[in-house]
Amino acid sequence: MSYDVIVIGGGPAGSTTAALTAEKGHSTLLLERDPQPRFKIGESLMPGTYDTFDRLGVLDQLKDSRFQRKYSVQFVSRQGKTSSPFYFRENEDHERSDTWQVLRSEFDQMMLDNAAEKGAEVQRGVKVLDVLFEDGKAVGVQAKMADGEIRDIPARVVVDASGQSAFLSRKLGTRRYDPELKKAAVYAHFENAYRDGGRDEGATLVVHTENEDSWFWYIPLHENVVSVGVVGGLDYLIKSRDNDMEAVFQEELDRCDFIKERLQDAKQLFPAQATKEFSYRAEQMAGDGWVLVGDAYGFLDPIYSSGVFLALKSGECAADAIHRALESGDLSGQRLGDFGDEFNDAMDAVKKLVFAFYTKDFSFAKFLRKYPHNRQSLIDLLVGNIYGKDFSRFFKELSTMCPLPEISPQKREAVSTSS
């Protein structure tokens, strides 16, 4: 059987793309490698995810779920001084300003189930072995099915939503790591850790260590579990140690009394794990018959919890582009990737904020004292009200206080690529 669309991977980007293309009446097959939902980081959502959730029809499920509500974010200095909580509803008093801290295994399954309810065919335990090309155009995939059979499955459009394994950009040699953001994260879950009360219970905490060579996230989840991770330069955090992740985590914890105190009565639920060199982007978002979404296209530093937001937005935009391409019969990379410029602008805006965060002795409080008219732009960036907005003045003035990266334009004109 052939399909209009094959989606490789069942994370937030893949399930969003599959749900929306199937809803438009296009035959859609989603292939997920893992037989069962599994643990992932990327648990803290931005308020900017609201509109995509609304379009997908999952808001009621989220509201009725066990997921911890998130109303704010708070920053803690290396001296342990806490900022005032940034409450999202102070920007807009609407339910779109409320969001969630999610256990990814449960969240991803909810999103996959929604794609199936919209009409996508979802198959778990299927490993895609190759994307098939003819005359420079993607025409399907070769996959090892759950029963072990190897099949070639034709499709008019192939969507790579394979996450950080980035199946297609690796195959094409177009994945590029960011040399200025060579970071790593070491993390674990804890039970019975200290949690604030009231509306602050679900707040994301961003906490500097005493030497500011690393920072911790502290994300309260449901069932009395907290996700705790430390992020630092790859050379500092991993390569200068003995590759013992538990030791790395404990050594950094000893440099952060604020987090250490919150964990003093907690039980660690699994050994510390690591993710390395996670800032990258592919040179191409789309080619003839194929398109990349979510982490398969690119990923930024986790400091602003932008990962799921960008995954959902790319999946939504890709689905709309695929629908237009299928309706017109034009499956060129230029047509399939026609949302790339605007999406890259959004990624670039977040990337510049990331650089500001890692600039020692910089603070947004100082920036706003000098440029108070930029408060709303900063709020928009922090909550994910990014897409389609012009932040040129904000970043021009931000560049007077901290170095910002020269954003190299991606090769946004998709070109035909052969295997």
Side-chain angles (χ1 to χ4, degrees):
M1 180 177 176
S2 64
Y3 295 85
D4 292 326
V5 183
I6 290 179
V7 180
I8 306 169
S15 58
T16 297
T17 309
L20 296 178
T21 55
E23 189 175 49
K24 290 289 189 181
H26 305 297
S27 58
T28 302
L29 173 65
L30 187 153
L31 302 175
E32 166 56 41
R33 178 183 58 189
D34 293 316
Q36 300 294 331
R38 65 181 179 87
F39 167 82
K40 297 176 187 175
I41 53 171
E43 300 142 320
S44 189
L45 305 184
M46 284 178 123
T49 56
Y50 179 93
D51 289 337
T52 305
F53 288 144
D54 189 22
R55 182 175 175 186
L56 289 168
V58 298
L59 278 177
D60 286 343
Q61 289 174 258
L62 284 164
K63 291 174 185 177
D64 294 338
S65 73
R66 305 184 300 159
F67 299 141
Q68 173 68 53
R69 289 291 188 116
K70 172 187 172 184
Y71 301 111
S72 64
V73 62
Q74 190 170 14
F75 295 86
V76 183
S77 73
R78 63 187 177 91
Q79 296 89 0
K81 182 180 179 181
T82 57
S83 68
S84 297
F86 176 74
Y87 294 111
F88 306 133
R89 278 198 178 234
E90 290 180 0
N91 176 52
E92 182 181 9
D93 190 12
H94 186 278
E95 70 174 19
R96 73 174 64 251
S97 296
D98 304 338
T99 189
W100 292 269
Q101 313 280 29
V102 300
L103 187 65
R104 282 292 302 274
S105 56
E106 295 180 14
F107 173 76
D108 289 3
Q109 185 62 53
M110 181 197 76
M111 296 287 285
L112 267 183
D113 291 343
N114 184 66
E117 289 168 9
K118 298 285 188 186
E121 180 183 341
V122 176
Q123 294 194 30
R124 277 192 170 276
V126 179
K127 182 179 180 180
V128 173
L129 303 175
D130 202 2
V131 175
L132 306 175
F133 284 83
E134 289 181 4
D135 299 322
K137 178 182 178 182
V139 294
V141 302
Q142 183 180 82
K144 184 177 182 180
M145 310 307 289
D147 62 4
E149 178 190 3
I150 295 178
R151 290 174 51 194
D152 289 352
I153 310 173
R156 297 174 69 189
V157 179
V158 175
V159 180
D160 183 7
S162 60
Q164 295 194 17
S165 61
F167 184 89
L168 193 49
S169 66
R170 285 178 183 266
K171 172 183 171 69
L172 301 175
T174 60
R175 174 163 157 165
R176 299 290 179 264
Y177 286 99
D178 192 319
E180 296 179 275
L181 288 175
K182 296 180 70 174
K183 307 290 183 181
V186 181
Y187 48 87
H189 278 185
F190 294 82
E191 186 177 52
N192 201 39
Y194 177 81
R195 302 162 78 103
D196 292 314
R199 64 174 177 166
D200 295 331
E201 180 181 359
T204 293
L205 302 180
V206 175
V207 187
H208 281 290
T209 52
E210 62 186 16
N211 56 8
E212 290 193 337
D213 286 328
S214 60
W215 62 271
F216 276 88
W217 75 67
Y218 194 87
I219 300 172
L221 304 173
H222 59 281
E223 294 190 337
N224 200 27
V225 173
V226 175
S227 173
V228 185
V230 61
V231 179
L234 179 65
D235 290 341
Y236 166 78
L237 203 62
I238 305 293
K239 291 186 177 179
S240 63
R241 320 273 179 114
D242 294 326
N243 214 33
D244 181 342
M245 295 305 102
E246 195 62 44
V248 170
F249 187 90
Q250 292 300 323
E251 287 172 16
E252 292 306 300
L253 192 60
D254 287 338
R255 296 185 172 98
C256 190
D257 289 342
F258 185 91
I259 296 294
K260 191 173 184 178
E261 288 173 7
R262 286 182 169 242
L263 297 181
Q264 63 182 356
D265 296 322
K267 174 186 176 183
Q268 188 169 334
L269 297 181
F270 55 79
Q273 300 180 23
T275 298
K276 306 172 187 178
E277 290 191 285
F278 42 57
S279 294
Y280 59 88
R281 209 180 309 188
E283 290 183 334
Q284 288 177 245
M285 176 171 277
D288 295 348
W290 60 268
V291 62
L292 310 180
V293 296
D295 292 358
Y297 174 60
F299 184 75
L300 294 168
D301 190 275
I303 176 61
Y304 298 113
S305 304
S306 61
V308 173
F309 165 74
L310 291 171
L312 293 172
K313 197 66 185 178
S314 68
E316 181 180 5
C317 293
D320 290 339
I322 290 166
H323 172 64
R324 293 189 295 267
L326 289 170
E327 290 290 288
S328 68
D330 177 5
L331 302 180
S332 66
Q334 184 174 4
R335 190 63 183 264
L336 290 170
D338 65 8
F339 63 97
D341 282 357
E342 200 169 20
F343 184 78
N344 274 296
D345 286 344
M347 285 195 77
D348 290 346
V350 177
K351 180 177 178 178
K352 289 177 181 179
L353 275 195
V354 170
F355 269 71
F357 174 81
Y358 284 114
T359 300
K360 287 193 175 182
D361 300 321
F362 170 83
S363 78
F364 282 111
K366 294 178 184 176
F367 173 69
L368 291 179
R369 282 196 292 271
K370 184 173 182 179
Y371 300 108
H373 54 273
N374 278 316
R375 177 175 172 77
Q376 187 59 50
S377 291
L378 178 59
I379 290 170
D380 286 336
L381 286 159
L382 290 174
V383 302
N385 187 16
I386 300 172
Y387 212 73
K389 285 185 171 286
D390 180 8
F391 293 102
S392 55
R393 181 184 180 186
F394 174 89
F395 286 118
K396 181 179 180 181
E397 292 174 343
L398 185 63
S399 69
T400 67
M401 297 185 66
C402 64
L404 296 179
E406 290 293 330
I407 302 297
S408 300
Q410 304 303 109
K411 294 179 180 177
R412 298 173 187 180
E413 317 85 34
V415 294
S416 298
T417 308
S418 63
S419 58

